[in-house]
Amino acid sequence: MRGTLTAAGIILAALVWYAGSCIIRPFRDCWLCDGKGHHRSKRKSKLSRPCRWCRASGKRLRFGRRLWNRARRVHRDAAAGARIAR
C-alpha cells in the first residue's frame, strides 16, 4: 500500500513538473536541427537546408502545450456554440 502511494506521488509530481515547464517554456528546441533552424542533408554533407519540422525557426511547441491549447480551443468553441443556441 505504501509503495503504491509513493509511486502515485512520484507520478503526480512528474506531471505537475511537466505542466509547469509547459507553462513557463512552451517551446523547446527542434529535435531534427537541434534548435539551429537548418540541418545538413544526409546525402551531401556540405548542403544545409531549412528544417521542415520547425519551419526554420529552431523551436517547436511542446506536446503538453499543444494538448492544452487544443483543450482551450474546444472549450471556447463549445461556449460560443452555447451562446448562439440560446
Side-chain angles (χ1 to χ4, degrees):
M1 182 77 169
R2 188 179 301 195
T4 305
L5 290 176
T6 303
I10 290 172
I11 291 171
L12 182 63
L15 287 174
V16 168
W17 174 81
Y18 184 70
S21 68
C22 285
I23 291 170
I24 294 171
R25 296 185 67 201
F27 293 94
R28 63 179 173 88
D29 288 342
C30 178
W31 61 272
L32 185 63
C33 65
D34 293 325
K36 298 173 190 164
H38 289 78
H39 65 92
R40 298 201 182 274
S41 175
K42 292 185 181 191
R43 294 184 202 126
K44 299 177 182 177
S45 63
K46 292 189 178 187
L47 292 178
S48 178
R49 59 185 177 151
C51 180
R52 68 179 183 160
W53 291 101
C54 64
R55 296 184 185 110
S57 69
K59 299 291 182 184
R60 295 204 53 199
L61 196 60
R62 288 178 184 255
F63 180 73
R65 186 59 183 225
R66 196 173 303 131
L67 286 177
W68 175 257
N69 289 347
R70 184 168 295 160
R72 279 185 26 212
R73 189 177 310 120
V74 166
H75 179 64
R76 184 183 63 228
D77 292 345
R83 277 188 240 132
I84 293 171
R86 287 185 193 172

